[in-house]
Amino acid sequence: MKKYLIGNMKMNQCYSVLEKYFDEIKEIAEHTDNFVGVCVPNVYLNLAKDKLAGSKVRYGVENVYHQDKGAYTGEVSVDMLKDFDTELVIVGHSERRQMFGDTDKEVNKKVKKVLSAGMTPILCYGESLEERKTGLTEEVVLYQLEAALSGLDKDSVSKIIFAYEPIWAIGTGVSATDDEAEEICKLSKDIVRERFGCEVVVLYGGSMKPANAKGLLSKPSIDGGLIGGACLKTEDFNGIINY
Ligand code: PGA
């Protein structure tokens, strides 16, 4: 089964590194049937387009604003992203929710806006350590999914890539166990199937690396990974893509 391995570069890398990185990742993607994607800082979209358009690597960004245009200093619209043939847009990453105040309502608006522009949202959700410790994981996931998908129909929901990312596993080196990740990815699929009647792609994200990729990606409900730290070097990313 084809797996989806998508990098989230966050606020890392620079032009000179990426020129080489894109060439290498293009080569890696040539030799796999898996879906290989990379989400980059907006300022490198032009370079991503130059290097990756027409290749097997799908590219995108890490955020977008839900308004079309206007006085929103520092923000970027879906039309601007489309100028660079952007395909993937991460929405609702926990770092955006925690540090930049993205609310469930805004996440919902962004998902809708990205879909209406014909791009693919990668919808992130997941519980904090506190919430897991107090047994609230399932409730939080259900709430976040319902909020993010509010007002959408089956056809739209089926186009979304879901990314379950427990906050305590992101950038910490401590991944969820294979079973913990499987449980919530399965729950996510069940929730969407029950509400919308469709099957969706669900990724796991949070300290995925070459050493733990095989265990996680062998689970039936985990369709791939959203990979932060380990996507930054093509050698590591390759170890996950060819797990
Ligand atoms: P990580 O990040 O792989 O560095 O934990 C994943 C993410 O934030 O998407």
Side-chain angles (χ1 to χ4, degrees), residues 6-8 10 90 93-95 124 165 169-173 205-209 226-231:
I6 302 176
N8 172 12
K10 310 195 178 182
I90 297 175
H93 191 281
S94 62
E95 286 153 15
C124 299
E165 297 210 308
I170 295 176
T172 59
S207 299
M208 187 182 277
K209 39 191 179 266
L226 185 59
I227 300 132
C231 87

Side-chain angles (χ1 to χ4, degrees), residues 162-193:
F162 291 74
Y164 166 58
E165 297 210 308
I167 296 170
W168 47 273
I170 295 176
T172 59
V174 183
S175 166
T177 65
D178 303 344
D179 288 340
E180 283 168 341
E182 165 66 16
E183 186 189 357
I184 305 303
C185 288
K186 180 176 183 306
L187 173 72
S188 308
K189 284 176 186 277
D190 290 346
I191 291 169
V192 173
R193 190 181 308 111

Side-chain angles (χ1 to χ4, degrees), residues 4-229:
Y4 293 71
L5 290 322
I6 302 176
N8 172 12
M9 268 180 192
K10 310 195 178 182
M11 201 172 74
N12 291 300
Q13 305 300 39
C14 60
Y15 194 96
S16 58
V17 170
L18 283 179
E19 278 189 297
K20 191 160 164 266
Y21 179 97
F22 288 147
D23 286 338
E24 289 172 2
I25 200 74
K26 216 157 73 174
E27 184 62 23
I28 291 166
E30 278 302 318
H31 301 102
T32 177
D33 290 331
N34 288 333
F35 178 114
V36 178
V38 60
C39 293
V40 303
N42 294 345
V43 289
Y44 299 127
L45 259 183
N46 206 12
L47 180 62
K49 182 177 180 223
D50 274 359
K51 290 276 188 185
L52 302 177
S55 82
K56 285 179 71 189
V57 183
R58 328 286 277 268
Y59 62 89
V61 294
E62 305 164 12
N63 184 36
V64 71
Y65 199 53
H66 63 267
Q67 297 285 359
D68 288 330
K69 62 181 197 162
Y72 304 106
T73 303
E75 295 294 334
V76 164
S77 72
V78 290
D79 283 346
M80 294 171 184
L81 298 181
K82 290 198 76 177
D83 276 342
F84 299 95
D85 300 335
T86 304
E87 180 179 347
L88 308 169
V89 184
I90 297 175
V91 175
H93 191 281
S94 62
E95 286 153 15
R96 300 251 12 128
R97 294 180 191 252
Q98 290 188 316
M99 289 185 259
F100 303 99
D102 285 19
T103 63
D104 286 304
K105 234 188 174 122
E106 280 164 347
V107 169
N108 176 244
K109 285 183 186 166
K110 290 182 182 191
V111 167
K112 285 176 175 159
K113 188 49 92 176
V114 171
L115 284 166
S116 73
M119 298 185 286
T120 302
I122 301 172
L123 169 63
C124 299
Y125 56 95
E127 81 287 2
S128 67
L129 185 58
E130 194 58 34
E131 287 160 347
R132 175 157 283 261
K133 278 184 177 162
T134 48
L136 291 174
T137 300
E138 297 187 5
E139 209 173 297
V140 168
V141 165
L142 177 62
Y143 179 82
Q144 288 185 346
L145 285 179
E146 286 198 327
L149 303 178
S150 168
L152 289 171
D153 62 15
K154 175 181 172 178
D155 187 45
S156 301
V157 170
S158 64
K159 292 180 180 139
I160 298 171
I161 294 178
F162 291 74
Y164 166 58
E165 297 210 308
I167 296 170
W168 47 273
I170 295 176
T172 59
V174 183
S175 166
T177 65
D178 303 344
D179 288 340
E180 283 168 341
E182 165 66 16
E183 186 189 357
I184 305 303
C185 288
K186 180 176 183 306
L187 173 72
S188 308
K189 284 176 186 277
D190 290 346
I191 291 169
V192 173
R193 190 181 308 111
E194 191 185 300
R195 299 282 193 286
F196 297 94
C198 57
E199 296 300 323
V200 286
V201 170
V202 180
L203 316 182
Y204 164 77
S207 299
M208 187 182 277
K209 39 191 179 266
N212 63 18
K214 195 179 174 75
L216 290 160
L217 295 170
S218 303
K219 289 290 176 184
S221 305
I222 302 178
D223 298 315
L226 185 59
I227 300 132

